[in-house]
């Protein structure tokens, strides 16, 4: 095998994994896509490739889009809510910009599931990787005007009340610490105060472990769910950790491992994401 070709690919591997993961919400699928891109790269006529990075980004995006389209049907048939696979925030290199951090945040990844595959691709390529619309149009083989429209639609879907970007890590961690303390102490009044009125809790067990099969909507219902959980099962472990570049909580309740991430905005918790599916707990939170 051409050593130079391998070295060039390895220079871009983490970037390509980050792209694939943001498009697919699954590290397993991202690794498959990147491996296929490696095979195509090594088999290509590289004398005709002027910009390896652009070539590789194009290949990974197109492969990920194909996989995302087929995955949507599978995810709709999933047992209970499908949540992204949490990862180590440094898995793809330093998160040097707000856009890189935001497009990796768990809440944003979850919201991106609502987008069409082309909308998601344009959003990630534009926001995380700052590609010009002309290059995005070439990657997607679509007119520039259409790509602009897809980005506009994606931005409208994802923009939140005070802007998309996440709070400072120390503020996020402080809120999660208060949440954990309130849950441990059974202080439902304090827990209620931390949650937004429209808070929603999602639990992903994938049919492999016991978990709520539907989202739990509304602050009172979320509080009741947490209270019931804490009263029925012993809390064996609970600590702050990190997932997707943000503070998270690792717990073991009644023998069941769980990683919990949060959508924090304006000093309140708007969503709670509990990942219990053991297949999704290998990359973060330990």
């Amino acid at each position: 095998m051409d050593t130079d070709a391998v070295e060039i690919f390895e220079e871009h591997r983490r970037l390509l994994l980050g792209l694939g993961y943001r498009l697919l919400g699954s590290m397993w699928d991202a690794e498959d896509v990147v491996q296929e891109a490696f095979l195509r790269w090594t088999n290509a006529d590289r004398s005709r490739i002027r910009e390896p990075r652009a070539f590789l980004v194009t290949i990974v995006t197109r492969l990920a889009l194909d996989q995302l389209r087929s995955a949507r049907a599978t995810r709709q048939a999933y047992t209970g809510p499908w949540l992204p696979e949490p990862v180590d925030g440094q898995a793809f290199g330093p998160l040097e910009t707000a856009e890189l951090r935001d497009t990796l945040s768990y809440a944003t990844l979850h919201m991106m599931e609502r987008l069409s595959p082309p909308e998601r691709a344009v959003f990630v390529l534009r926001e995380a990787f700052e590609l010009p619309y002309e290059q995005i149009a070439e990657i997607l083989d679509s007119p520039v005007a259409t790509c602009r429209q897809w980005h506009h639609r994606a931005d409208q879907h994802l923009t939140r009340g005070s802007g998309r970007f996440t709070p400072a890590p120390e503020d996020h961690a402080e809120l999660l610490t208060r949440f954990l303390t309130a849950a441990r102490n059974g202080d439902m009044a304090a827990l209620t105060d931390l949650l937004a009125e429209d808070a929603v809790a999602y639990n992903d067990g994938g049919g492999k472990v016991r978990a709520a099969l539907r989202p739990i909507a509304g602050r009172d219902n979320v509080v009741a769910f947490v209270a019931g959980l804490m009263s029925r099962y012993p809390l064996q472990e609970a600590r702050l950790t990190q997932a997707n570049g943000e503070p998270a909580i690792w717990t073991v309740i009644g023998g069941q491992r769980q990683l919990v991430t949060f959508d924090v905005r304006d000093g309140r918790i708007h969503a709670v994401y509990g990942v219990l599916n053991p297949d999704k707990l290998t990359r973060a939170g330990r």
Side-chain angles (χ1 to χ4, degrees), residues 44-228:
D45 180 359
R46 290 181 300 281
S47 66
R48 303 178 62 184
I49 299 172
R50 291 181 300 168
E51 297 181 23
R53 183 182 187 272
F55 175 86
L56 293 169
V57 165
T58 298
I59 294 299
V60 167
T61 301
R62 291 177 179 175
L63 288 170
L65 278 176
D66 289 343
Q67 191 150 327
L68 186 59
R69 290 185 180 103
S70 62
R72 285 166 75 86
T74 303
R75 292 174 187 182
Q76 288 171 359
Y78 191 80
T79 302
W82 186 94
L83 293 177
E85 178 189 357
V87 296
D88 183 340
Q90 295 299 311
F92 316 118
L95 300 174
E96 295 170 343
T97 66
E99 290 79 10
L100 277 174
R101 290 191 296 274
D102 180 58
T103 53
L104 188 63
S105 84
Y106 203 84
T108 300
L109 282 169
H110 180 252
M111 287 192 293
M112 282 200 285
E113 287 295 309
R114 305 172 189 175
L115 305 179
S116 70
E119 288 170 351
R120 185 165 183 164
V122 172
F123 181 79
V124 169
L125 291 169
R126 182 71 177 166
E127 296 290 324
F129 298 95
E130 300 179 330
L131 297 188
Y133 283 112
E134 290 74 18
Q135 186 175 348
I136 295 172
E138 288 182 14
I139 292 171
L140 300 184
D141 194 22
S142 298
V144 171
T146 301
C147 291
R148 288 182 184 273
Q149 187 177 38
W150 281 330
H151 183 267
H152 178 68
R153 273 195 227 143
D155 201 47
Q156 283 188 317
H157 277 299
L158 298 180
T159 297
R160 303 184 267 195
S162 61
R164 246 185 0 259
F165 301 121
T166 54
E170 57 271 18
D171 296 334
H172 199 148
E174 190 269 339
L175 194 64
L176 267 58
T177 299
R178 289 166 57 197
F179 179 94
L180 188 54
T181 300
R184 273 175 168 162
N185 296 338
D187 189 343
M188 295 302 111
L191 200 61
T192 300
D193 189 52
L194 295 172
L195 294 166
E197 190 173 348
D198 61 352
V200 183
Y202 303 87
N203 293 269
D204 180 345
K208 301 190 175 186
V209 298
R210 63 176 179 267
L213 295 177
R214 293 180 179 82
I216 300 155
R219 177 168 54 199
D220 292 344
N221 290 331
V222 173
V223 170
F225 174 76
V226 174

